[in-house]
Amino acid sequence: MLTREADYAIRALLRLAQLEGDRVLSTTRLAEEMLIPYRFLRRLTLKLEEHGFVESARGKHGGLRLARPAEAISLLDVIQLMHPESVAFNQCLVDEASCARSPECTVRRTIADIQAEVHHQLAGVTMATLAAVPKEE
Amino acid sequence: MLTREADYAIRALLRLAQLEGDRVLSTTRLAEEMLIPYRFLRRLTLKLEEHGFVESARGKHGGLRLARPAEAISLLDVIQLMHPESVAFNQCLVDEASCARSPECTVRRTIADIQAEVHHQLAGVTMATLAAVPKEE
DNA sequence: GAATAATGATACGTATAATGTATCATATAA
DNA sequence: TTATATGATACATTATACGTATCATTATTC
């Protein structure tokens, strides 16, 4: 399950992907448009900036823009940044030492295969993909 | 991420799937063999029984066995019983009313598609599938 | 029939994390 | 110089995952 934080991050980045040129959008408007709690978004965008997903302009008429092409930001990227565990399918696939069983155990291998497939799919959807969908949102 | 409860349930059912005939296995041994905390397993098996996954025999030499064929118990079945949220990929896919956005929003539809694919895969792996793997566990 | 070994049912405790809010500092445009 | 923006943290509140504990009931075996 996506956390709200990851969900909000995806929606915020999607909106920024829709901006033209090097326009910026303020966090205030971003929060309003995407129905995200303002203060939550503020904290969240700091992390996005820290990790090179967005750039910010301070002061009046400041705001945010993507720091890299929308094609270069996948759902997997965002989720792994915001909440790595939500794309891990079992504890042992995050922390090997957390499980006393064999690393080759049937359950682990089976779950790992499914996880790999999901990661592949999540990596295939980028902010450009989402932004290209005729908007209904 | 699978919860420990779901993980344990899968491992317990897998072990029971390996029993021959209508043999039973006690919770004590099941816990030992599959490295599951005994009391946790006790509570967990009640739920499995309540929902028709296992049958129990009480008294001395009692224990548990599968209540239906191993082929008829998929990973999806078990996870959905133990922890439905862990196979839901977003809050809005569990509780429509939790989100004020359009049901047709891009993010929701995209995540829903990926969720459907994962469910398909989880439904394709049964306790019989797992039990058939040459054991290394 | 008493002792033993098993499950049935439920209640309790604790630590972590998700979600959201608040505060103060800093930068920039008009 | 004022207003509007972000930078950086700290705080509060639930919810829940995980594990433990307790008492009752059933069936086998000697």
Side-chain angles (χ1 to χ4, degrees):
Chain A
M1 168 95 79
L2 286 187
T3 56
R4 290 315 82 209
E5 192 178 19
D7 181 86
Y8 294 155
I10 291 166
R11 294 176 192 280
L13 290 168
L14 165 56
R15 180 67 189 89
L16 295 180
Q18 293 166 340
L19 296 178
E20 291 170 4
D22 56 353
R23 281 249 181 74
V24 297
L25 186 66
S26 74
T27 309
T28 306
R29 287 202 54 190
L30 191 50
E32 284 169 2
E33 293 187 17
M34 304 310 279
L35 302 178
I36 302 172
Y38 170 74
R39 292 191 182 283
F40 205 148
L41 181 60
R42 284 293 310 283
R43 198 182 50 185
L44 191 162
T45 55
L46 287 182
K47 202 190 284 187
L48 289 177
E49 188 183 33
E50 183 185 356
H51 289 82
F53 287 80
V54 305
E55 291 173 341
S56 66
R58 287 168 85 154
K60 208 162 184 173
H61 298 163
L64 305 172
R65 71 172 77 84
L66 294 187
R68 31 168 162 144
E71 296 79 21
I73 303 177
S74 73
L75 288 180
L76 185 61
D77 293 332
V78 183
I79 299 171
Q80 261 172 348
L81 171 63
M82 286 302 163
H83 194 81
E85 300 82 33
S86 71
V87 281
F89 271 53
N90 210 351
Q91 184 63 41
C92 60
L93 301 176
V94 177
D95 177 16
E96 179 110 2
S98 70
C99 182
R101 302 177 187 87
S102 161
E104 292 304 316
C105 97
T106 305
V107 173
R108 186 192 295 198
R109 276 185 296 140
T110 304
I111 301 290
D113 289 347
I114 293 174
Q115 174 182 300
E117 171 60 23
V118 176
H119 283 200
H120 179 70
Q121 289 194 41
L122 289 173
V125 179
T126 70
M127 294 307 121
T129 316
L130 295 177
V133 175
K135 71 172 168 186
E136 298 221 32
E137 182 176 25
Chain B
M1 169 95 80
L2 287 186
T3 56
R4 289 316 82 210
E5 192 179 19
D7 180 88
Y8 294 156
I10 291 167
R11 293 175 193 280
L13 290 168
L14 164 57
R15 180 68 188 87
L16 294 180
Q18 294 166 339
L19 295 177
E20 291 171 5
D22 57 352
R23 282 249 180 76
V24 298
L25 187 67
S26 74
T27 308
T28 306
R29 285 203 54 190
L30 191 50
E32 285 170 2
E33 293 187 17
M34 304 309 279
L35 302 178
I36 302 172
Y38 171 74
R39 293 191 181 283
F40 205 148
L41 181 60
R42 284 293 309 282
R43 198 182 50 185
L44 191 162
T45 55
L46 289 182
K47 201 189 284 186
L48 289 176
E49 188 183 32
E50 182 185 355
H51 289 83
F53 288 79
V54 305
E55 292 173 341
S56 65
R58 286 167 85 152
K60 209 164 182 171
H61 298 162
L64 304 172
R65 70 171 78 83
L66 293 186
R68 32 167 160 143
E71 296 78 22
I73 303 177
S74 72
L75 288 181
L76 185 62
D77 293 332
V78 183
I79 299 172
Q80 260 172 349
L81 170 64
M82 287 301 165
H83 194 80
E85 300 83 31
S86 72
V87 280
F89 270 54
N90 210 352
Q91 185 63 40
C92 60
L93 300 177
V94 177
D95 176 17
E96 181 112 0
S98 70
C99 182
R101 303 178 187 86
S102 161
E104 292 304 316
C105 97
T106 306
V107 173
R108 186 192 295 197
R109 277 186 295 140
T110 304
I111 301 290
D113 288 347
I114 293 175
Q115 174 182 299
E117 171 61 22
V118 175
H119 283 200
H120 179 70
Q121 289 194 41
L122 289 173
V125 179
T126 70
M127 293 307 122
T129 316
L130 295 178
V133 176
K135 72 171 168 188
E136 299 221 32
E137 182 175 29

